Structure formats: structure tokens, C-alpha cells
Amino acid sequence: MYTLHKSIIAFLLFFTTTILACPPPQNANASQWGFGPDDISIENINSARSVCSSAKFELLPTFDVIKISFNPSPYVDVGPGLPPNRATWQCSVNFRLRWPKGWKPVFESISYGVDYSLDNNVYAILETFVYIGPGPADYQMQTPLSGPSSGSFCVADFLTPPVAGSCGPKTTSVGVRVRLTIDNSGNKNGSGYLKVNGPYYLGLNWEFCP
């Protein structure tokens, strides 16, 4: 069963101008583990038919952050000349994570940047789902927005409870589904857009298996 978060979102930064990207989460203990490149690997297993099949995955050198880069960035808008009422952008990205004997990954946090502008009575929401293996989402987060307002900010949240894999050696799929929705049914002449700025970051810890 997934955990839903929308009221405990931490807004780390807020600007009235666009920011390029948010910083990855920090983990002070990451450098102590000393895994080599042969111990942990990531393989892209996206479907070529996916709207975000060009997404790229990177395990940062500290081994405690997975960076997910979208190209193009997730974006949705409404306004004059566009279909009225409601628009949605959605895709799922998947990668295969392998880790060594004696350890298990624990996904603990997620962060990303948001850029938006909404007229009066125009609403938007960004939803993120995280999966380990098949089945329902292990985690879900919502970022609701309403107009009139605009801005750019970083969003960060801790996964509660954390999403954990099993003890290695192990290879399993990890999925992240992103859905952007914008709605101007309350103001059919209203305009607005919602965009993800820069990459998603998944922060993880590695727990020792006795």
C-alpha cells in the first residue's frame, strides 16, 4: 500500500523567476561505504513507445542519489487556442537496479523543481509515484497549485515509510511515474502551464544485511 503525501511537502526554495534545477539530497554517510562501479549498476528498461523513453538515469558517485533526467521536460498547459477544461501529461520511467550481497537499498527521499503560472481559477497538480518491483505504487506524492499565482521552487519530501528492496545480491526494476494535470474549467478563458524543472532525484541509503 502506498503512502500519500501532499500536506508535508517541504518547499526548500521559492523564487519569482525560473530556477534551472534543484540540488540533489545530501547523505553524509554515503562516502563511507566505498562501493566500486562493479557493485552497483543501473540499466534503462524504458519502453521505446513511452512518451518519455529518452529519460536517462545516473547513479551519482556517492552511491546515495539516483538522477532521472527527462528530455523534453514534463510540461502541460491550457489557454486560448488550446483544448479547454483539462490537460494531462503522464509517463512512467523504469530502470533495473543491481546491488551486491550483504546490502539492500532503501529509497528515503525525492526532490525536483517546479515552474508554473496560473490565471485566476486555473488549477494544477503534479503527482509522483515510486515503485519497486511489480504491483501497486509504494509511494505517492502530490503537489497541488491554484491561480492566480506563479513561480518556481524546489520540492522535497521524505518517503514515509521508506521504500526498501530486499537483501542482495539482487536485481529488480524500479519505476517512477509522473503525472501533470492542469484544469481551467473554472475559467475557460484562463491560461496556465506547469513544468518540471531539471531532473528528479531519488535519495537512498544502503542498509547492511546480517
Side-chain angles (χ1 to χ4, degrees):
M1 178 67 67
Y2 63 71
T3 300
L4 171 64
H5 289 244
K6 61 180 178 180
S7 60
I8 64 172
I9 298 171
F11 292 89
L12 300 181
L13 300 172
F14 190 93
F15 298 99
T16 56
T17 57
T18 300
I19 54 175
L20 294 179
C22 295
Q26 300 296 313
N27 188 327
N29 296 320
S31 61
Q32 299 179 9
W33 297 320
F35 290 137
D38 294 333
D39 296 315
I40 306 171
S41 66
I42 291 181
E43 177 188 359
N44 188 339
I45 55 174
N46 275 330
S47 167
R49 294 172 294 178
S50 171
V51 67
C52 49
S53 60
S54 60
K56 298 186 182 301
F57 306 91
E58 178 185 359
L59 180 66
L60 299 191
T62 53
F63 300 104
D64 67 336
V65 177
I66 293 175
K67 177 182 177 182
I68 305 174
S69 301
F70 296 93
N71 185 22
S73 296
Y75 178 89
V76 67
D77 62 353
V78 291
L82 298 173
N85 297 332
R86 186 181 178 97
T88 300
W89 184 99
Q90 175 175 280
C91 80
S92 297
V93 294
N94 300 275
F95 60 93
R96 188 173 289 116
L97 179 66
R98 182 181 67 84
W99 59 92
K101 181 180 179 180
W103 299 91
K104 68 177 180 179
V106 182
F107 292 89
E108 294 188 333
S109 65
I110 188 168
S111 62
Y112 52 88
V114 173
D115 182 27
Y116 79 103
S117 179
L118 304 172
D119 285 348
N120 188 45
N121 289 328
V122 178
Y123 303 92
I125 186 168
L126 191 156
E127 299 171 278
T128 302
F129 308 81
V130 179
Y131 309 77
I132 288 188
D138 297 288
Y139 170 85
Q140 177 185 355
M141 183 167 69
Q142 295 183 347
T143 306
L145 301 162
S146 61
S149 60
S150 63
S152 299
F153 55 88
C154 288
V155 177
D157 194 18
F158 291 101
L159 280 61
T160 307
V163 178
S166 56
C167 292
K170 183 76 173 181
T171 301
T172 194
S173 62
V174 179
V176 177
R177 180 158 58 97
V178 180
R179 182 166 63 207
L180 285 67
T181 302
I182 191 167
D183 189 332
N184 70 342
S185 58
N187 177 8
K188 297 188 185 307
N189 294 318
S191 299
Y193 73 87
L194 174 63
K195 177 184 178 182
V196 173
N197 263 334
Y200 266 70
Y201 291 105
L202 289 177
L204 68 155
N205 244 319
W206 292 93
E207 291 187 358
F208 178 73
C209 298

